Amino acid sequence: MTAASPGGYSESVPARDTRTTTVARTETKPAFKTTELMVYVASVIAVLIASLVVGDGDSGVDRFPADRAWLYVTLLTIGYLLSRGLAKSGSREGGRDPRM
């Protein structure tokens, strides 16, 4: 037995879905579209050029040896990967490549 509401509608009618349709979007741009990639590449090139240009000191000792330059490149890479990871951590969508 169903009871009638004051408007004359049956109370056994299912509730209407009130959810709105939203468009799914990623929260971040792909890595190749960001300025942080450009800054990273420029920084790596600058470190390697600086290591090449800075020559021997007066005592014949290399003031910026290659091993130190590659250490700095490694640290830059770790920083870049951490920044991309933090940027993507709030992203809800999976990894779809927009170029395909």
Side-chain angles (χ1 to χ4, degrees):
M1 177 192 249
T2 60
S5 64
Y9 298 107
S10 171
E11 292 193 19
S12 64
V13 175
R16 192 175 78 180
D17 189 12
T18 58
R19 289 180 282 176
T20 59
T21 305
T22 59
V23 178
R25 295 183 183 172
T26 57
E27 294 181 13
T28 59
K29 292 189 273 186
F32 62 90
K33 290 184 177 180
T34 63
T35 57
E36 44 186 38
L37 176 65
M38 293 177 230
V39 169
Y40 166 72
V41 170
S43 299
V44 167
I45 291 171
V47 166
L48 294 177
I49 289 174
S51 176
L52 180 67
V53 170
V54 172
D56 296 334
D58 294 333
S59 62
V61 177
D62 191 5
R63 294 180 293 180
F64 191 22
D67 60 339
R68 186 176 297 161
W70 284 108
L71 172 69
Y72 292 153
V73 169
T74 302
L75 294 175
L76 284 168
T77 303
I78 290 170
Y80 175 73
L81 293 175
L82 284 174
S83 73
R84 288 304 299 164
L86 290 173
K88 290 285 186 180
S89 67
S91 178
R92 295 184 187 138
E93 201 168 310
R96 286 191 234 156
D97 192 355
R99 296 176 289 173
M100 297 181 152

